[in-house]
Amino acid sequence: MQTSVTTIDRFINEQEDQYPAATGELSSLLYDIALAAKLIAAAIRRAGLVNILGTAGAQNVQGEEQQKLDVFANETIKNCLKHTGRVCVMGSEEDEDIIPVPTEYEAGKYAVLFDPLDGSSNIDVNSAVGTIFSIHRRRSIDGRGTSADVLQPGCTQVAAGYVMYGSSTMLVYTTGQGVHGFTLDPTIGEFLLSHERIVTPRIGKYYSVNESNFGRWDKGTQTAVRGLKGDTPDVVAPKNSRYIGSLVADFHRNLITGGVFLYPADARNPDGKLRLLYEASPMAFIAEQAQGSATDGMNRILDIVPLNLHQRVPLVIGSREDVGFVADTLRRVAQRASGPIAQPAL
Ligand code: P6P
């Protein structure tokens, strides 16, 4: 039986061949991340058996109980990257400050940001969790990496991706040449190409938002979500609600089937909950490469210049027309609230 399997290594190499100037370092960095993903996937699969569930007791910089798998995932990614000579600095949701590569290792030309285990509150209930990563070229000239290397707008990313530890383990990434998905075959320990050139439908089936925040949203957001539910069927067809509470899982479903995910600002989270650098920005790169889009409600995520490592941002991401509907609604409600624009006297 003819089997034409494409491993992630072969696929990355074939993509790199299209760029004669490529040195192969970015490709090798993507392998390093794929290795970390395999190690984390194995730990998650074993989690119920070797009792590494439950909290590690420590709290991360977000003030959240740090689960043991959070700690393991964070350390695994750092250990897979720091000695390679390809990275000068890292930024992690689990670490308060940037992580310059230790002096005993060569500092490379890339800065890597990551959320090592997003949705970790779902760990103990065996629901999907994920790793999200974002790669920029360093801006500093030499030496250890600095904040300037990580505080870059999403439009300067050279690669971004996520790993979803769900019913199967999938790695989805882009280097600006489309979005491609690989499924881990645990029997051989290889990520195999399963979703080449993912394109998200223009209009989605689902909307994903935590509706328990409805009373804390502004009027524009409430109006937009009501529209997605079917209040304005002449403008947007009613959608089904799907919300897992894990960004990677909600984003991935919408990417494949079409849909829009929202984590808006609210009275309790005036900048929303999600982080710009290692959640919104990489997902926005992927969304746009899959012909979708991503905004903070009105402004393109990839244009936002970050001011600090753990900066939060409201997020509306997914099918292009659905994201556009939300933006149009927010603008219309804002204009109505600010009153009719004074027409210049003729
Ligand atoms: P809420 C998980 O904690 C996370 O950071 C994202 O993965 C997810 O989209 C969001 O928070 C869920 O937040 O407030 O709806 O539980």
Side-chain angles (χ1 to χ4, degrees):
M1 177 181 75
Q2 176 61 27
T3 57
S4 62
V5 292
T6 302
T7 63
I8 191 167
D9 300 20
R10 175 180 156 194
F11 187 85
I12 291 172
N13 265 319
E14 288 172 353
Q15 283 222 320
E16 178 196 309
D17 291 346
Q18 299 170 33
Y19 287 76
T23 63
E25 282 186 279
L26 179 60
S27 298
S28 301
L29 180 51
L30 289 168
Y31 305 150
D32 301 332
I33 292 171
L35 171 62
K38 291 177 194 174
L39 295 167
I40 296 167
I44 288 175
R45 296 289 168 245
R46 286 195 314 269
L49 306 176
V50 295
N51 188 30
I52 60 176
L53 283 176
T55 60
Q59 291 215 333
N60 65 17
V61 293
Q62 324 298 339
E64 297 160 345
E65 279 297 324
Q66 200 156 33
Q67 303 264 2
K68 287 177 185 171
L69 278 171
D70 268 347
V71 175
F72 175 84
N74 196 35
E75 294 311 311
T76 298
I77 296 172
K78 289 192 272 189
N79 291 335
C80 284
L81 299 185
K82 67 184 179 185
H83 65 280
T84 62
R86 294 187 262 276
V87 178
C88 63
V89 64
M90 292 178 257
S92 167
E93 183 188 34
E94 300 296 341
D95 288 81
E96 186 157 4
D97 298 317
I98 60 170
I99 309 141
V101 163
T103 49
E104 61 261 42
Y105 302 117
E106 182 195 348
K109 67 182 188 184
Y110 294 108
V112 184
L113 294 125
F114 50 90
D115 182 353
L117 208 57
D118 177 76
S120 53
S121 55
N122 289 305
I123 289 173
D124 280 347
V125 295
N126 201 24
S127 181
V129 291
T131 296
I132 309 171
F133 63 90
S134 168
I135 303 175
H136 292 267
R137 218 171 264 104
R138 73 181 298 171
R139 275 182 166 166
S140 55
I141 304 301
D142 54 18
R144 303 298 106 194
T146 65
S147 291
D149 298 311
V150 298
L151 297 181
Q152 299 188 56
C155 55
T156 68
Q157 290 174 99
V158 292
Y162 60 85
V163 185
M164 188 169 86
Y165 311 102
S167 51
S168 62
T169 297
M170 268 198 78
L171 190 154
V172 175
Y173 84 92
T174 185
T175 56
Q177 304 167 71
V179 176
H180 311 286
F182 301 81
T183 300
L184 181 65
D185 178 340
T187 61
I188 58 173
E190 285 285 0
F191 278 108
L192 304 180
L193 182 63
S194 54
H195 298 70
E196 186 168 3
R197 198 162 293 282
I198 299 172
V199 174
T200 196
R202 258 180 331 100
I203 298 173
K205 291 170 63 175
Y206 300 119
Y207 75 97
S208 310
V209 69
N210 182 339
E211 301 210 42
S212 69
N213 296 324
F214 189 90
R216 287 188 290 272
W217 294 335
D218 64 24
K219 186 167 174 37
T221 302
Q222 290 179 342
T223 306
V225 172
R226 282 201 185 101
L228 294 170
K229 292 156 78 87
D231 269 17
T232 51
D234 53 318
V235 181
V236 61
K239 300 182 188 300
N240 280 331
S241 171
R242 289 286 186 282
Y243 192 72
I244 298 173
S246 170
L247 173 61
V248 170
D250 283 316
F251 177 86
H252 182 75
R253 179 200 53 249
N254 290 353
L255 181 73
I256 302 297
T257 63
V260 57
F261 171 93
L262 306 88
Y263 208 105
D266 63 48
R268 199 164 51 188
N269 298 297
D271 294 319
K273 174 183 181 184
L274 300 179
R275 309 297 178 166
L276 172 61
L277 281 173
Y278 40 77
E279 289 178 324
S281 192
M283 292 313 218
F285 189 17
I286 293 166
E288 290 200 3
Q289 281 290 309
Q291 299 177 25
S293 62
T295 70
D296 63 3
M298 291 196 201
N299 309 297
R300 185 179 180 233
I301 290 287
L302 295 185
D303 291 337
I304 298 174
V305 179
L307 301 174
N308 65 70
L309 183 60
H310 300 293
Q311 177 173 336
R312 298 176 193 268
V313 68
L315 181 62
V316 181
I317 189 168
S319 294
R320 181 168 294 279
E321 292 202 15
D322 297 336
V323 173
F325 165 77
V326 174
D328 293 345
T329 304
L330 295 178
R331 284 192 192 96
R332 179 165 42 81
V333 172
Q335 278 167 3
R336 198 185 301 147
S338 60
I341 298 167
Q343 298 301 328
L346 294 177

